[in-house]
Amino acid sequence: MFGLAIRSLRRRTGAFAASFLAMFLGSAIIMAFASMLDTAEASGATGPARETLVIMANVVGGWGLLLVVFAVTSTLSLSVRQRAAETALLRSVGATPGQLARMIVGEAAGLAVVAALLGIVPAMLIGRGLLGLLHDTDQVPAGVGYSFGPIALTMGLGIMFVSATAAALITARRATRVRAAESMTAAAIDTGRLSKKRIVFAVVFLLLALNEAIITVTVMDGKGSDAMATSGQADIFAAIGLALLAPAIMRRVTALLAGPMRALGGATGDLAASVMRRRTGAMAAAVTPIILFVGTAVGTLFLQATENAATEAAGLAKTAEQKNIETLNFVVIGMVVLFTAIMLVNTLIAATAHRRREFGQTRLAGATPRQVLGTVALESVVLTVTGVICGTVASVFTIVPFGLARRDSLTPDGDVWTYLAVVALAAVLTGVTAYGATRRTIRVPAVEAALN
């Protein structure tokens, strides 16, 4: 089966691009933050400097790890879903579920190892940049030198291998436990049905977010900036929970919008409505990074704005600890924005490239290239609006509790233009990427595309 996995990787390099990039970026991020622990050990840093390095590695790196593992699982599920027809065909000619599972796991394990090894150099560069930031803000003495050692390597290689393999096992079990005939039907219609385990995990993450919010407004009320410790992670939990429910959300959204799109969009709207109802699983994968991006970015930005307003209202200057927390918050934002933006672009490109045959068949059936582009544009609007709404809901789990605990106010501090900037960036990334990828895809002659 390992040989079959290698041949499959060679045949379907495009289908694995999203998974590989997620693993590559994920391992680089994990090793970069883990190297702060190597730096603390090798330099013999003590006191506040050591504490800052450990916090940077454990807190920021820990949340980055959660996002990375979730993104790897999501993109790996997308690549397997794109190969549903191939998997169904292998089942029909006698391949057993065990053989297919070993093939999928072998592919994921091989990609994880290669991606982690290639991520070492970028991780070193990112790690040096993080330490330089701490030097510039006087949180770590300039004499503390950078070190990249066994902790970073072990965490990067080990965590990425284990998470990719675990994600592959989950995905493989879901892809191979149905009968061959059912697999062929599922390959043709991607409804993105929710499994019981996915629903359970979604509920767990949403309950964790609610628990953090309740603790913030009760236990942490009046505790000042310490309330960030609980409220700051609530939006991440909520965003992951909503992202896990994305297939059901997209199914409901497309059902609600089918009528208006057909009425207002003419032939293009009718085509878009029909296509989206058949592709809710793929659309759920595309909306996931939007939810994570908007939820975490809006939550953290407005959290910091509320903290700044509270400090200013009290007539106090920021302490070294508050500056440390602010730096960590902006590092989180920068990391999340970069990672989720790349994942959004990567996922959309992979999903659109996979639709070359669909676009070719649609054009042969009479649709013009302009109608195909219009269909994708409508899909992008639906994805953006859905992702922004879900992400905004996720951010509320952080913004409102922290506002009550810190300022006794339901209304968050912060500029509305900050929110609009996050929304605009999500819209531009989604629209431009989908449009550009579609234009490249439909350049292939319709007959050639339909046959491949």
Side-chain angles (χ1 to χ4, degrees), residues 78-278:
L78 175 63
S79 68
V80 173
R81 187 184 299 115
Q82 289 180 345
R83 301 165 58 210
E86 177 187 332
T87 303
L89 181 61
L90 289 173
R91 290 288 305 277
S92 68
V93 297
T96 66
Q99 288 175 322
L100 293 175
R102 288 193 294 274
M103 181 188 74
I104 293 171
V105 173
E107 293 167 352
L111 287 174
V113 172
V114 175
L117 291 175
L118 292 177
I120 291 175
V121 173
M124 290 180 174
L125 297 176
I126 296 172
R128 287 186 181 278
L130 290 174
L131 185 60
L133 177 65
L134 296 177
H135 286 162
D136 294 340
T137 54
D138 296 325
Q139 297 179 60
V140 174
V144 174
Y146 179 69
S147 177
F148 186 94
I151 298 177
L153 286 172
T154 302
M155 291 186 68
L157 290 167
I159 290 174
M160 190 50 57
F161 180 83
V162 172
S163 61
T165 303
L169 284 171
I170 296 171
T171 305
R173 184 174 182 274
R174 187 166 58 247
T176 59
R177 67 184 175 183
V178 296
R179 297 185 180 90
E182 295 173 349
S183 297
M184 297 294 286
T185 302
I189 303 175
D190 181 17
T191 57
R193 294 290 178 183
L194 286 174
S195 65
K196 291 181 179 179
K197 289 183 179 179
R198 190 179 181 111
I199 294 174
V200 169
F201 277 116
V203 171
V204 168
F205 276 105
L206 290 173
L207 288 177
L208 285 172
L210 181 61
N211 179 64
E212 296 297 313
I214 292 174
I215 291 176
T216 300
V217 298
T218 54
V219 177
M220 305 305 292
D221 187 22
K223 298 293 181 67
S225 60
D226 289 344
M228 284 186 175
T230 53
S231 60
Q233 57 199 26
D235 54 5
I236 300 178
F237 283 139
I240 292 176
L242 291 173
L244 287 169
L245 295 175
I249 294 172
M250 292 309 305
R251 192 160 54 246
R252 180 60 61 87
V253 168
T254 52
L256 290 174
L257 295 180
M261 282 195 296
R262 288 191 172 102
L264 301 175
T268 300
D270 183 68
L271 179 60
S274 300
V275 170
M276 284 191 290
R277 295 195 70 172
R278 292 197 310 269

Side-chain angles (χ1 to χ4, degrees), residues 314-347:
L316 301 173
K318 291 182 182 179
T319 63
E321 182 180 1
Q322 288 174 322
K323 290 180 180 179
N324 188 11
I325 294 174
E326 184 174 13
T327 301
L328 291 175
N329 284 337
F330 286 123
V331 168
V332 169
I333 295 171
M335 178 192 67
V336 169
V337 167
L338 178 62
F339 183 73
T340 55
I342 293 175
M343 283 299 96
L344 171 58
V345 171
N346 185 43
T347 301

Side-chain angles (χ1 to χ4, degrees), residues 5 21-22 35 56 69 149-150 190 205 220-221 267 278 285 292 334 341 357 363 366 374 409 415 447 451:
L21 184 57
S35 68
M56 179 71 79
V69 171
D190 181 17
F205 276 105
M220 305 305 292
D221 187 22
R278 292 197 310 269
L292 295 174
R357 186 175 187 179
R363 288 157 64 195
S409 174
D415 195 337
V447 174
L451 294 176

Side-chain angles (χ1 to χ4, degrees), residues 351-401:
T352 303
H354 180 69
R355 300 174 67 184
R356 184 172 70 167
R357 186 175 187 179
E358 173 198 328
F359 291 157
Q361 292 172 340
T362 302
R363 288 157 64 195
L364 289 177
T368 65
R370 184 174 181 179
Q371 287 175 324
V372 172
L373 287 170
T375 298
V376 173
L378 284 175
E379 291 177 3
S380 299
V381 171
V382 173
L383 285 173
T384 302
V385 173
T386 304
V388 166
I389 291 175
C390 291
T392 302
V393 170
S395 70
V396 169
F397 282 81
T398 284
I399 296 171
V400 172

